[in-house]
Amino acid sequence: MSATEERQRNDGGHAALMDGVYRWQRHVYDATRKYYLLGRDRMIAGLVVPPGGTVLELGCGTGRNLVLAARRYPDSRLHGLDISAAMLATADATLSRQALRDRVALARADATRFDARALFGEAAFDRIFVSYALSMIPGWELAIDAALDALSPGGSLHVVDFGQQERLPAWFAAALRGWLARFHVSPRSGLLAEIAARAEAAGRPTRFTPLHGGYAWLIVVGPRSGSARPRRD
Ligand SMILES: C[S@@+](CC[C@H](N)C(=O)[O-])C[C@H]1O[C@@H](n2cnc3c(N)ncnc32)[C@H](O)[C@@H]1O
């Protein structure tokens, strides 16, 4: 984390920055992002939430993913947190419109340091997912730590985000990065290594799937070894 990022994170500047970025964009966010936040639906399909299972999204934004997860896993209990009050206002309105508001708990919190019990009354979740948020979070490694801490022993963590465009032309990767920087988005070169190291320390396996030539990376951290496998009925 750069010194500027660290200062922003500590003085609440990052929350204000995110509110500023999304104050107007949130109104066109879902319509525009579907063309370039690739892999989100595949990640949701891979959650395979057990009946009655608990799910948490870190950096839930407009609630788009929570709506899809709620429909796909009708018995699940969903939770979303985000640092931006503006994004949460949109998520609240979207979930209400879809008659899903009573199934999804929302909270304003920093993904790098949240207390799930205080926010949601839940100590651990069966599934936690992070979709295109780690590339916007200063101190994103801390969010991985926090997610693993909040995961039940038999639970899994699912991450989808920009990859390193490793099989795409260099000019495309450079243009994409320049454009993303305008939105305060930085693809994390250490994303897989940092997640895999932490997962291994926690006795959990990691599965890595690069998508579209490395445009996006899908990373799944599985249940702790020795814990009962999650039910798949
Ligand atoms: C690119 S959007 C992704 C939203 C959603 N996950 C999706 O896939 O459409 C990134 C989200 O992360 C949130 N965010 C950024 N930093 C955060 C932090 N430290 N803690 C929680 N949320 C954060 C932003 O406010 C924004 O809503």
Side-chain angles (χ1 to χ4, degrees), residues 147-191:
L148 289 172
D149 281 351
L151 204 54
S152 67
S156 53
L157 168 65
H158 303 246
V159 173
V160 68
D161 214 315
F162 292 104
Q164 292 297 296
Q165 299 85 45
E166 56 274 12
R167 298 188 64 189
L168 295 173
W171 65 262
F172 177 83
L176 178 67
R177 278 153 189 274
W179 183 68
L180 292 175
R182 296 172 50 187
F183 299 95
H184 307 276
V185 175
S186 312
R188 309 297 188 188
S189 59
L191 188 65

Side-chain angles (χ1 to χ4, degrees), residues 14 22 29 40 57 59 61 65 82-84 109-111 131-132 137:
H14 183 61
Y22 289 116
Y29 184 94
R40 293 184 296 174
E57 179 174 12
N65 298 326
D82 202 285
I83 205 165
S84 161
D110 185 335
S131 165
Y132 287 94
I137 298 179

Side-chain angles (χ1 to χ4, degrees), residues 198-215:
R198 285 164 171 78
E200 189 178 359
R204 294 175 180 271
T206 301
R207 194 171 68 240
F208 171 54
T209 311
L211 305 174
H212 311 293
Y215 177 93

Side-chain angles (χ1 to χ4, degrees), residues 1-2 4-26 33 82-87 108 110 133 135-139 180-186 188:
M1 193 178 358
S2 71
T4 310
E5 280 188 334
E6 179 146 28
R7 207 171 41 251
Q8 258 180 4
R9 193 177 146 250
N10 289 332
D11 67 6
H14 183 61
L17 178 69
M18 292 297 103
D19 273 337
V21 167
Y22 289 116
R23 180 155 294 121
W24 305 114
Q25 280 191 45
R26 66 198 169 106
R33 268 47 173 199
D82 202 285
I83 205 165
S84 161
M87 281 301 229
R108 188 175 186 195
D110 185 335
S135 52
M136 288 191 94
I137 298 179
L180 292 175
R182 296 172 50 187
F183 299 95
H184 307 276
V185 175
S186 312
R188 309 297 188 188

